Amino acid sequence: MRESSVRGERSRPRVRDAEALGWDETLYEGQGRGDEESEPRERGRRGGGGRRRAGGPRPPRRRRRILRWFATVLSVLILGTAGAGYLYYEHLNSKIKKDKLSLGDEKNRPAKAKANAAGQTPLNILLIGSDARDTKENQKLGGAKETFGAAPLADVQMLLHLSADRSNMSVISMPRDTLLQIPECTDPDTGQVFPASTGRQMTNQTLGRGGPGCTVATWEQLTDIHIDHFMMVDFAGVVSMADAVGGVPVCVTANISSRDRQGHGSGLKLEKGTTPVKGKQALQWLRTRYGFEDGSDIARAKAQHMYMNSLVRQLRANATLSNPTQLRRLAETATDALTVDEGLGTVGKLLALGNQLKEVSPKRITMTTMPFQYVGSRVEPKPGDAEKLFRLVREDIALDGKDKKKSTTEETSKDPAAADDEIGVQVQNGTRTATLDPVGGRANAVAQLLVGKGFTKAAADASVALTEDKTIVRYPSAELEGDAQAVAKSLGVPLSSVEKSTQVSGVTLVVGADWREGTAYEAKAEDDKTPKSAKLLNGANDKACMRVNPAFTW
């Protein structure tokens, strides 16, 4: 894990937990009993037969003094509690480690997703598991003594997509040995520039090129999905958080012992059936390859999905988390374990995120692994299927197929279009995909096609090479909507592919991957079904069980 200015402030708060600040559930105990005990004594005094002056009853001084004392003490308690709560809040804030969101080229980051009709936008969060062995605790848990202090690897990478309407959630894992082009990244602490990879490298190496922001930049380059936040945890964090929630139930089809004759394996040892795992055993589950199915990273990702689904169900069902002490322990653990981007760098922001995530029912949570194909002993995104999965996320389409069908009605703009030869059109090449290079000269070819149709001001913009799964026409303001629709109609592009965008300064045609060749655009009906190769796992499936390799049973 890399240091930050925030981490340097850890020594300021001397308070270790809420109890030391006086913020605990016993703070108000006894107040109600004190009221009840004082009342009889007061009645006894009033019944003592004392004289009264002719002007009316004499005010009970002692009672007033007691009430004033009680009010003063109550005020001190309220103010003290508020102060303790604030100090504890600041204590937790000081423990959160922060890093820059993206270390790539800021200008070429994907645009944020458009808001839906209700003004809501989806949320994309990259979850990163670091194998850093930068502390004695991480070294003890992770083993591999020869790697102590070496650059950390992003051995777990999952993109969490929360839908705009907060009705569903998708989680996509990428195998750690996926071969990708890694973009140029700059370390925010040292200023060191890591040049873009000349060939494809394993994606887990991104973390050592400046931090989690480089992993984010690599995902964005591959998927064309704008990532809003990241959250990273190391070995010690996994152990402590598993302890804080009291254990997570997992299932295996047979007795398993993850250790071969050469000593390879996580050391996980479980009996057949369901067992709640916590602490080091939870970490072993998440790291196990030897013994699960074919011993690959793909099997490990599947086990991680089962663990995450079970964790969500456990948090929802675990009544002990209503206990303040349990909640405080979880708060201490979580803030100590996480590294997040600056946009999530306070307890308040993390709580707000948690409140959004908990709106999703487990039955609308979908876990999957990016469709892949083998390249020797490594993997790469599977042509077609991987890009389709990324498109569904970009377009905020639920992977479980339970979304309400979107309206296909096309509305013609009320803004009249200018004459064809007066409309300026920039044509950009968006034919690049996750697995295919852009088609050379494609923007110029389509620009000439437009010129031939009377749009004489059409010109190719060769300064960019985008990734766009379908051909689209963008315009910056309402007065150019009619012009944009005129361009689309001339090419046979559906009006549903005409959109307003602040990313362009004039009418802009992006030739997508659906039109890599030819002069006639053929609009294809969108297939929004998740590819079968994604092998979905539903969050409500509490019967899922990891298949054990017979060579690792006992």
Side-chain angles (χ1 to χ4, degrees):
M1 305 287 285
R2 297 160 56 255
E3 295 295 320
S4 72
S5 59
V6 174
R7 275 168 262 178
E9 296 172 358
R10 273 193 181 180
S11 60
R12 290 182 187 175
R14 296 184 179 182
V15 181
R16 292 186 61 83
D17 55 29
E19 286 85 348
L21 286 164
W23 185 32
D24 80 296
E25 61 271 27
T26 65
L27 189 60
Y28 295 101
E29 285 182 3
Q31 288 180 12
R33 292 190 296 273
D35 287 343
E36 294 166 2
E37 290 171 359
S38 64
E39 188 62 25
R41 290 198 296 268
E42 197 59 37
R43 284 196 296 269
R45 294 186 198 101
R46 288 197 298 270
R51 296 181 183 180
R52 296 181 181 179
R53 295 182 180 178
R58 185 174 65 181
R61 289 184 184 175
R62 186 171 181 80
R63 184 184 180 198
R64 284 187 308 204
R65 284 199 299 270
I66 290 173
L67 290 175
R68 280 199 300 270
W69 175 85
F70 180 75
T72 301
V73 171
L74 182 61
S75 298
V76 170
L77 287 173
I78 291 173
L79 290 173
T81 304
Y86 173 76
L87 289 175
Y88 187 55
Y89 179 85
E90 290 303 305
H91 161 67
L92 291 177
N93 277 339
S94 71
K95 297 174 67 177
I96 300 173
K97 299 172 285 293
K98 296 188 282 285
D99 230 319
K100 190 174 178 181
L101 175 60
S102 177
L103 302 182
D105 183 356
E106 197 67 27
K107 294 181 180 179
N108 288 328
R109 291 190 65 196
K112 290 187 177 182
K114 295 186 296 181
N116 61 14
Q120 302 166 302
T121 54
L123 197 60
N124 296 306
I125 304 169
L126 189 63
L127 309 177
I128 304 171
S130 166
D131 80 336
R133 293 169 172 85
D134 52 355
T135 66
K136 289 183 178 180
E137 187 175 6
N138 278 330
Q139 179 64 63
K140 181 179 178 181
L141 293 168
K145 296 180 180 180
E146 69 279 2
T147 64
F148 184 82
L153 298 173
D155 271 358
V156 177
Q157 299 176 36
M158 298 182 180
L159 179 64
L160 185 154
H161 172 81
L162 182 62
S163 67
D165 63 5
R166 304 306 188 250
S167 68
N168 65 87
M169 184 193 306
S170 304
V171 178
I172 302 174
S173 287
M174 183 187 295
R176 66 172 183 169
D177 55 0
T178 302
L179 297 175
L180 299 173
Q181 293 281 348
I182 301 178
E184 177 181 294
C185 296
T186 303
D187 189 311
D189 293 337
T190 66
Q192 180 180 357
V193 177
F194 294 86
S197 61
T198 54
R200 296 192 300 177
Q201 295 184 6
M202 285 173 56
T203 184
N204 66 345
Q205 296 180 23
T206 55
L207 191 56
R209 295 165 60 89
C214 192
T215 309
V216 168
T218 303
W219 269 81
E220 289 190 334
Q221 177 176 277
L222 170 69
T223 66
D224 201 33
I225 296 170
H226 180 90
I227 294 175
D228 302 286
H229 301 292
F230 74 78
M231 301 175 72
M232 182 169 71
V233 65
D234 59 12
F235 291 150
V238 170
V239 169
S240 57
M241 292 185 76
D243 284 345
V245 298
V248 177
V250 295
C251 177
V252 287
T253 59
N255 294 349
I256 181 174
S257 178
S258 178
R259 189 75 74 192
D260 66 11
R261 293 179 179 178
Q262 288 73 42
H264 300 137
S266 68
L268 178 71
K269 190 170 185 178
L270 293 176
E271 293 183 355
K272 177 182 178 180
T274 300
T275 305
V277 294
K278 58 192 294 189
K280 186 176 180 180
Q281 202 171 40
L283 177 63
Q284 290 173 333
W285 175 275
L286 294 169
R287 296 187 66 208
T288 294
R289 283 194 300 123
Y290 293 88
F292 282 161
E293 300 187 349
D294 61 357
S296 68
D297 278 330
I298 312 305
R300 173 159 56 187
K302 183 177 178 181
Q304 291 166 352
H305 294 162
M306 290 183 185
Y307 179 92
M308 288 182 66
N309 282 338
S310 184
L311 174 61
V312 170
R313 294 193 299 268
Q314 188 76 354
L315 285 170
R316 283 175 171 266
N318 194 344
T320 62
L321 290 181
S322 62
N323 182 307
T325 301
Q326 185 83 352
L327 283 173
R328 284 197 300 273
R329 187 178 300 120
L330 187 57
E332 290 278 346
T333 298
T335 52
D336 209 25
L338 292 175
T339 298
V340 299
D341 65 279
E342 295 172 346
L344 282 180
T346 68
V347 173
K349 291 176 180 178
L350 288 170
L351 285 174
L353 173 61
N355 285 333
Q356 293 184 67
L357 295 175
K358 74 178 184 181
E359 291 182 29
V360 183
S361 166
K363 64 183 179 182
R364 293 303 313 276
I365 296 175
T366 304
M367 301 276 179
T368 185
T369 296
M370 175 197 75
F372 65 92
Q373 63 185 20
Y374 280 100
V375 182
S377 60
R378 310 300 183 198
V379 300
E380 65 182 5
K382 185 175 182 179
D385 284 7
E387 172 55 29
K388 183 179 181 182
L389 189 68
F390 299 148
R391 177 183 66 80
L392 295 179
V393 173
R394 284 197 299 269
E395 297 182 7
D396 197 24
I397 297 172
L399 300 186
D400 61 8
K402 296 179 181 179
D403 272 343
K404 294 180 180 179
K405 290 191 176 181
K406 299 178 180 179
S407 173
T408 57
T409 303
E410 296 185 350
E411 293 186 7
T412 302
S413 173
K414 296 179 181 178
D415 172 58
D420 292 352
D421 60 356
E422 294 180 3
I423 299 176
V425 187
Q426 273 198 330
V427 183
Q428 297 176 339
N429 190 343
T431 57
R432 183 181 63 190
T433 72
T435 56
L436 298 173
D437 292 330
V439 177
R442 190 61 183 153
N444 185 64
V446 176
Q448 292 306 308
L449 179 63
L450 279 171
V451 170
K453 291 180 177 289
F455 294 86
T456 55
K457 291 187 177 181
D461 177 9
S463 64
V464 292
L466 306 176
T467 299
E468 202 71 59
D469 58 287
K470 62 181 180 180
T471 299
I472 195 163
V473 183
R474 297 189 171 108
Y475 62 94
S477 53
E479 62 269 18
L480 291 178
E481 182 180 17
D483 293 358
Q485 288 193 353
V487 171
K489 288 178 181 178
S490 73
L491 296 172
V493 175
L495 296 189
S496 59
S497 294
V498 178
E499 66 176 27
K500 185 177 180 180
S501 172
T502 58
Q503 304 297 315
V504 296
S505 57
V507 176
T508 303
L509 167 67
V510 183
V511 184
D514 60 346
W515 197 14
R516 290 175 62 88
E517 60 184 10
T519 56
Y521 179 77
E522 295 181 9
K524 299 178 181 178
E526 292 284 8
D527 175 13
D528 293 339
K529 293 182 180 179
T530 304
K532 291 183 179 180
S533 57
K535 297 180 180 179
L536 306 182
L537 176 66
N538 185 268
N541 182 1
D542 58 1
K543 305 299 182 184
C545 208
M546 281 303 297
R547 182 170 58 82
V548 175
N549 186 315
F552 290 86
T553 59
W554 56 277

